[in-house]
Amino acid sequence: MHAELKVRDLQRKLFRAAKAQPQRTFGVLYPQVCSDMVVRTAYELVRRNRGAAGVDGVTIESIEAYGVERFLQEIREELRQEKYRPMPVRRVFIPKGDGKQRPLGIPRVKDRVVQAAVKLVIEPLFEASFRPNSFGFRPKRSAHDAIETIRREVNRGKGDVIDLDLKTYFDTIDQKLLMQLVRRRVRDPRVLRLIKLWLRAGVMIDGRHEDTNLGTPQGGVISPLLANIYLHPLDLWWEKTMPWTTMVRYADDMVVLCPKGRAERYMVELRKFLSRLKLLVNEEKTRLVSVRTGFDFLGASFRQQWKLHRPHEMQCYVWPSGRSMQRFRDKVRALVDGDFQSSLSEKILQLNRVIRGWGAYFRPLNSQRAFHKVDYYVWRKLTRWMWLKHSRTRAMKGSPSMLYRRAGLATLSGTVRYVSLNAV
């Protein structure tokens, strides 16, 4: 904890220096990356996130058995002597909601620690310049902040929306252009060399090595920061040239809220700038919509409609999207169906983690109706499981009071904590 406090103090100093001098580039950063406090804090961040092993098969548990102090000392020595070399990332594929698969790169633990160390040092330099419309993977900013910004801007009168999706963004980042953007803040050649090594480390797919001359592996500790750096020129340009619109960006997901009737014109300009960044628009998922028609973003559905108790006023309402509801049902079904060896208490313990985690994200929204639906779905799936497990009397089906009170099943109904924004 002492090391973390020192690192925070270092980050505050770097942030203030970068904020005071927006055009300054920082040349002596490598000693901080190699310092005991930064490497130790980086390891602690990686340890908390756990994660799978990389291509070397080394896990957090095996490092703890080997000796954390010995492991950290070896990293510091490799960095100081400039002998550190990353290994290729292990490529895995995770299913997406649309049935497709998302490629994910898993660096080895040592590489994750060194990436985290570099990120701890250079992130404040870029944070000092990042724009307020960017919310993804940034300190003290969240998806809820992005959702509230959209709700506020719709209530202020923005009538049309550009719902834009970039095609395989992380895999199409131009590495040469990315390094040029990094150099606007960082000129320490040893730090720049580390970033280049990670970009060119390659990936291992089923034991086969593939070069990575394009993109940044999605899954690396430093990849979200690099992704934000790459799209920072878009934020700057849009803020300067389109001040009457509002772009809300969460990493590579973005929407643009426009005055009514102008979205098509702005979409043309947006495409032109994205082509300058050598990025492709996903035509299948990109569309122009009215706020009255509604759109989905960050797992939520947005729509402007008449207020329930004030029928002459319009309000932007936000609730869990249909896809988010389906993903929740899929998780519940996977936990409940088929497994008759677990006890009711074990099953409820597993379900409660899913219910509470899902509810925490959507609690600030207009989610009361959705919460009633998911509560009923969970209760129905669980009572059916009990009936199949016991195959006895009707009493074994359970009742809402038994499951929610005596058995401790979590419920979401009545837990919404949404405070409505005043329409401006």
Side-chain angles (χ1 to χ4, degrees), residues 218-360:
Q218 191 171 356
V221 175
I222 203 169
S223 292
L225 174 60
L226 297 178
N228 277 329
I229 292 171
Y230 197 79
L231 284 176
H232 178 59
L234 171 64
D235 298 336
L236 285 174
W237 175 79
W238 196 267
E239 186 180 74
K240 182 179 179 180
T241 60
M242 307 292 179
W244 44 87
T245 69
T246 300
M247 175 181 286
V248 177
R249 185 173 65 79
Y250 195 92
D252 58 322
D253 294 325
M254 67 188 80
V255 294
V256 181
L257 304 158
C258 315
K260 191 170 180 61
R262 300 186 185 179
E264 192 168 349
R265 169 195 162 192
Y266 297 141
M267 184 63 194
V268 173
E269 299 300 320
L270 185 55
R271 287 178 184 275
K272 289 180 181 178
F273 195 88
L274 289 172
S275 66
R276 290 167 57 184
L277 292 176
K278 303 179 182 180
L279 296 175
L280 302 174
V281 175
N282 188 337
E283 303 295 346
E284 295 180 2
K285 296 183 178 180
T286 297
R287 60 189 188 128
L288 309 180
V289 295
S290 166
V291 294
R292 295 196 182 188
T293 302
F295 61 98
D296 293 348
F297 187 63
L298 298 179
S301 288
F302 298 79
R303 186 183 302 161
Q304 187 184 53
Q305 55 192 40
W306 298 111
K307 285 187 177 181
L308 296 177
H309 304 295
R310 296 183 183 178
H312 300 295
E313 295 184 31
M314 299 289 286
Q315 179 77 30
C316 180
Y317 289 90
V318 194
W319 56 85
S321 68
R323 180 177 294 181
S324 297
M325 296 281 285
Q326 186 58 51
R327 286 178 179 172
F328 177 84
R329 289 192 291 266
D330 291 342
K331 288 183 179 179
V332 171
R333 188 184 305 112
L335 283 175
V336 174
D337 286 356
D339 174 22
F340 298 111
Q341 301 302 315
S342 302
S343 66
L344 177 62
S345 60
E346 291 172 335
K347 193 64 66 176
I348 287 179
L349 185 64
Q350 295 173 335
L351 285 169
N352 282 352
R353 295 193 190 103
V354 175
I355 294 168
R356 288 171 178 149
W358 191 86

